[in-house]
Amino acid sequence: MKNVSPCVACPRFGLGFCHAVLGGADDLAREAGESWQHHRIVAAGKQIVARNQETPDVFVLCGGWGFRFLQLADGRRQILGFLLPGDLFSVASVFEERFHFSVKALTTVQISTMRRSEVQLRLKSPPVVMALAKACSQEAESSDRIIATLGRCSAEERIAFLLLHLMKRIAAHNVIRDQRYPFPLRQQHIADAVGLTSVHVSRVLGTFRDRGIVELSNGVLRVGNLPDLKHLGSLN
């Protein structure tokens, strides 16, 4: 008897790229145990893929948080984006064998790897093409907004933008009560994402706390004044 794919129990299975590629529950039941898709757990802080690494697989984050980054020669790190459940590591990975960035697990994560050749065969299906096009559009829009923020915004505006961006994404995965968001980022992650030092981030977050805008403590982001946060971080 074949094993049942973990995708059957995934709360996001009916959405996005995975559903388009894998099909419905009946398809999963037929294909469970075949060699083109695998799942594994990666511990927090472990690197999942390295820059310039070649792989025959397309990666999807199933659970937990990860992040994409570039490491400079002097050790400095630029976080390119945070990965949440359902995210492709990169749309380009559907076509390219080599990653131009590295990926690390922020929390303990579950990942799915799908053989690229099989995914490409399924691009004959219009739903798969549309799902990939949507993911590509979202990735491009996010990159454009981040570039604008890093290039033109103050430290307060950069951090506020990042918080708003992640709050929206977190709310799509979780029931949010009392404006409290699960938020596993440390100050260094925020610093590396917005191009600031950890000390500068600490100072800005302290200002936000004193002004009653947000407070980050013990892995929870509590929003006290959403209008002020939006005033600082929204791109109009």
Side-chain angles (χ1 to χ4, degrees):
M1 181 177 179
K2 291 182 177 181
N3 296 325
V4 177
S5 169
C7 297
V8 173
C10 175
R12 294 185 58 80
F13 176 63
L15 305 172
F17 183 75
C18 285
H19 177 67
V21 171
L22 297 172
D26 291 342
D27 299 309
L28 284 176
R30 284 196 302 271
E31 297 182 357
E34 293 189 0
S35 61
W36 71 277
Q37 187 201 17
H38 300 280
H39 295 82
R40 61 188 173 100
I41 303 294
V42 180
K46 296 295 185 180
Q47 189 155 302
I48 303 170
V49 296
R51 184 184 182 190
N52 292 325
Q53 175 181 335
E54 290 188 4
T55 173
D57 297 321
V58 175
F59 288 71
V60 177
L61 190 78
C62 303
W65 286 57
F67 60 91
R68 303 182 298 121
F69 68 97
L70 290 174
Q71 194 90 36
L72 304 185
D74 62 2
R76 289 177 296 168
R77 180 178 69 184
Q78 177 64 50
I79 291 179
L80 306 173
F82 293 96
L83 298 168
L84 272 64
D87 286 348
L88 279 164
F89 281 18
S90 169
V91 172
S93 68
V94 175
F95 308 101
E96 301 290 339
E97 295 181 356
R98 190 187 303 271
F99 281 92
H100 69 272
F101 53 80
S102 301
V103 178
K104 183 173 284 190
L106 178 60
T107 66
T108 298
V109 299
Q110 181 180 18
I111 60 173
S112 166
T113 59
M114 296 181 281
R115 191 57 54 94
R116 181 178 295 103
S117 57
E118 181 67 26
V119 173
Q120 290 177 348
L121 283 175
R122 297 180 182 222
L123 289 176
K124 299 174 183 178
S125 166
V128 177
V129 173
M130 290 302 296
L132 186 62
K134 183 177 181 180
C136 184
S137 175
Q138 291 172 338
E139 192 174 290
E141 179 182 354
S142 178
S143 294
D144 288 347
R145 292 170 67 85
I146 290 171
I147 289 170
T149 302
L150 294 179
R152 291 297 179 182
C153 290
S154 68
E156 286 192 352
E157 290 167 339
R158 294 183 198 184
I159 294 173
F161 168 83
L162 178 65
L163 298 182
L164 287 169
H165 171 71
L166 291 176
M167 285 162 51
K168 181 178 179 179
R169 299 188 62 202
I170 293 167
H173 295 264
N174 302 270
V175 176
I176 304 302
R177 294 185 176 90
D178 302 323
Q179 289 295 302
R180 296 170 65 89
Y181 296 79
F183 202 82
L185 277 66
R186 298 184 180 275
Q187 289 182 4
Q188 190 61 58
H189 295 120
I190 297 174
D192 289 346
V194 298
L196 300 170
T197 66
S198 181
V199 172
H200 202 162
V201 169
S202 178
R203 186 160 56 245
V204 171
L205 289 177
T207 299
F208 283 179
R209 182 187 62 246
D210 294 343
R211 291 165 58 184
I213 298 175
V214 298
E215 182 175 359
L216 179 58
S217 178
N218 297 321
V220 175
L221 178 71
R222 186 183 67 81
V223 181
N225 191 327
L226 184 57
D228 277 4
L229 186 64
K230 287 183 175 179
H231 176 73
L232 283 169
S234 295
L235 294 179
N236 296 322

